[in-house]
Amino acid sequence: MTDNLFKTNEEELLKTVAHLAKERQAVILAHYYCPPEVHRAAHFVGDSLGLSQEAARNEAKVIIFCGVHFMAETASILCPEKTVVLADFEAGCPMADMVSAKDLEDRKKELSAVPVLTYVNSSAAVKALSDICCTSANVVAVLRSLDSPTILMTPDKNLAQYAQKLVPEKKVITWPGFCPTHHRLNLKEITALKEAHPKAEVLAHPECQPKILAIADFIGSTSGIIKRCQESSSKEFIILTEEGVLYPIKKQNPDKIFYTPQTPMVCPNMKKNSLIDIVKALETLTPIIKVPEEIRLKALRAVEKMLAVPRD
Ligand code: 13P
Ligand code: SF4
């Protein structure tokens, strides 16, 4: 009964969202880690690279962003003429908060001419101080594209160590940031999960610690992991990234089996995005995310340089 009530509410809210989006000429973009009902409401669901590209390509005047703060900022950097609204203003990224513009400025002074490669999980002010950006989908290609033999990579030390392993000809200086949702995975637990399901392919996001990546069969961005589930001939998988990816994965692969760690991998910030938030955002066109022009122009250079790097 309660389930049905929720379902009815969900269907009603989805109709309201579709109606308002049309009225506002808005496009709804959502990251894979958002709750399933938000996937259903969105016009486009993607990883951070795909969402930036879609924001730039889409012709809608209004972007309702379901994700976290830095993602909406990236859309604002790329499309200053559009109204970018973050569905839930409280949705931030703790990893992005692990590097401030002031700390990066100080570190740059210490390292003098070393170029800075910054993960898109960062503020616009930090991007503005960086030479180039990357996402988990293009980090290796971006690192290889740089001329300098030494690079400072912020803020994710796990992503930096993963890239360093694949591009040994460069010296990567790491920053001590990490994603709490991925970093907390316990090697003992994952090894036991692997032993319990020896036929399962282990798919991990590069934000996991090196010791976890060392026992993975495949390492990729959220969209990379989703694609792998479809393309692999394996029938069982252990998924080591935020559980939001399971909604598209299970829909696309009804005959395959998916295992996850016992303590669920949940990003509390991504889960803040709700259908009610989307309705409110469409009704009020707030909260608007707008990057100040001086910062935007500098950050744009770093983001555009990244987008110009051909994928491997
Ligand atoms: P993707 O770029 O793989 O979508 O990851 C974004 C993110 O926040 C991972 O925690
Ligand atoms: Fe940030 Fe981690 Fe959440 Fe991704 S999963 S948005 S890196 S806290």
Side-chain angles (χ1 to χ4, degrees):
M1 173 68 184
T2 328
D3 270 5
N4 276 343
L5 203 64
F6 277 129
K7 264 262 126 352
T8 315
N9 278 344
E10 187 172 314
E11 297 311 319
E12 287 305 316
L13 283 168
L14 285 168
K15 274 190 213 152
T16 309
V17 166
H19 171 75
L20 286 172
K22 209 167 172 187
E23 212 172 77
R24 290 291 199 187
Q25 296 182 11
V27 66
I28 303 169
L29 306 183
H31 190 270
Y32 287 121
Y33 293 165
C34 287
E37 61 276 16
V38 172
H39 288 223
R40 293 186 65 201
H43 299 109
F44 181 88
V45 185
D47 67 0
S48 7
L49 180 61
L51 290 169
S52 317
Q53 288 167 328
E54 184 59 29
R57 187 169 44 223
N58 203 285
E59 282 172 7
K61 292 190 187 83
V62 174
I63 298 176
I64 304 293
F65 217 108
C66 305
V68 290
H69 198 270
F70 77 80
M71 294 179 174
E73 266 195 349
T74 308
S76 165
I77 291 166
L78 284 164
C79 338
E81 73 292 353
K82 294 178 189 170
T83 303
V84 180
V85 181
L86 181 59
D88 188 314
F89 192 67
E90 300 302 316
C93 168
M95 167 159 45
D97 295 339
M98 290 178 193
V99 54
S100 69
K102 167 80 177 75
D103 288 348
L104 180 54
E105 232 161 7
D106 291 349
R107 188 75 178 115
K108 278 176 68 163
K109 276 183 204 142
E110 282 168 14
L111 293 171
S112 62
V114 172
V116 181
L117 163 56
T118 287
Y119 193 24
V120 286
N121 297 38
S122 54
S123 67
V126 164
K127 288 184 179 77
L129 290 169
S130 306
D131 295 271
I132 189 164
C133 287
C134 72
T135 73
S136 57
N138 61 17
V139 58
V140 171
V142 170
L143 184 58
R144 282 204 183 110
S145 76
L146 301 175
D147 288 334
S148 171
T150 307
I151 289 109
L152 168 65
M153 221 180 128
T154 72
D156 188 2
K157 62 179 176 185
N158 293 327
L159 184 73
Q161 287 175 83
Y162 159 72
Q164 172 72 89
K165 213 167 163 205
L166 292 178
V167 190
E169 62 276 20
K170 305 273 183 205
K171 180 177 175 340
V172 178
I173 304 170
T174 59
W175 188 275
F178 58 89
C179 162
T181 305
H182 289 83
H183 190 77
R184 64 146 198 84
L185 281 188
N186 176 296
L187 183 59
K188 236 169 135 183
E189 185 193 337
I190 305 307
T191 309
L193 191 60
K194 216 169 127 86
E195 280 165 10
H197 307 288
K199 287 196 193 133
E201 214 177 291
V202 180
L203 314 185
H205 194 279
E207 287 175 14
C208 297
Q209 293 190 61
K211 62 185 178 192
I212 301 289
L213 299 182
I215 60 163
D217 300 301
F218 175 90
I219 301 166
S221 71
T222 48
S223 55
I225 289 175
I226 293 167
K227 197 160 161 239
R228 178 74 192 170
C229 290
Q230 269 198 307
E231 291 177 353
S232 166
S233 57
S234 301
K235 293 279 173 264
E236 294 174 40
F237 299 85
I238 294 172
I239 306 292
L240 302 181
T241 191
E242 212 274 355
E243 62 175 37
V245 297
L246 289 165
Y247 179 65
I249 287 177
K250 286 185 177 169
K251 249 185 19 188
Q252 290 164 10
N253 306 279
D255 302 332
K256 296 185 179 178
I257 302 168
F258 301 94
Y259 307 104
T260 53
Q262 207 173 4
T263 321
M265 291 181 74
V266 174
C267 172
N269 284 284
M270 289 285 189
K271 297 300 185 248
K272 285 178 183 162
N273 292 274
S274 71
L275 291 181
I276 301 274
D277 284 333
I278 303 176
V279 170
K280 279 191 200 151
L282 283 163
E283 276 173 352
T284 63
L285 292 190
T286 60
I288 290 181
I289 304 295
K290 182 108 186 118
V291 176
E293 193 59 7
E294 197 192 325
I295 294 178
R296 188 188 77 80
L297 289 173
K298 290 183 190 151
L300 180 65
R301 267 206 318 250
V303 174
E304 280 188 331
K305 262 200 212 163
M306 165 186 87
L307 293 175
V309 174
R311 292 282 285 274
D312 279 339

